[in-house]
Amino acid sequence: MRKKEQKIVITFHTTAEAIAMESQCQKEGIPGRLIPVPRQISSGCGLSWAMPTDWDGEIGKWMESKGLRWDKFGEYLI
């Protein structure tokens, strides 16, 4: 069993929004990956973006500047 880590988890209303996030992060080298939405969170599309909590930036402001939409985000032990 994998050791749980504190991560920033971002959920989305639609799969298209999740894929747009993945694409933009890959282009700009932002760490993270798409994962199924963790059990402790509920979200519309079932996909979420998980990334390290020590990323050097403000993810909400960065997403707004790129026109990316999300449902909610926060730090979770996953």
Side-chain angles (χ1 to χ4, degrees):
M1 183 174 198
R2 254 178 14 124
K3 181 182 174 190
K4 292 186 177 189
E5 298 177 22
Q6 195 76 10
K7 298 273 187 183
I8 295 172
V9 178
I10 304 165
T11 62
F12 305 92
H13 292 288
T14 68
T15 302
E17 291 170 346
I19 292 171
M21 175 69 168
E22 178 184 44
S23 176
Q24 193 64 44
C25 287
Q26 287 177 346
K27 284 180 191 174
E28 298 195 25
I30 294 174
R33 64 188 180 101
L34 285 178
I35 63 168
V37 173
R39 288 188 186 131
Q40 63 263 48
I41 309 169
S42 62
S43 179
C45 81
L47 290 175
S48 60
W49 181 258
M51 62 186 297
T53 57
D54 62 354
W55 181 66
D56 193 26
E58 173 58 49
I59 193 64
K61 289 181 182 178
W62 178 83
M63 290 175 70
E64 285 178 0
S65 74
K66 301 299 177 187
L68 298 168
R69 298 180 55 175
W70 68 93
D71 182 16
K72 54 189 160 192
F73 65 90
E75 289 189 21
Y76 298 92
L77 187 62
I78 58 169

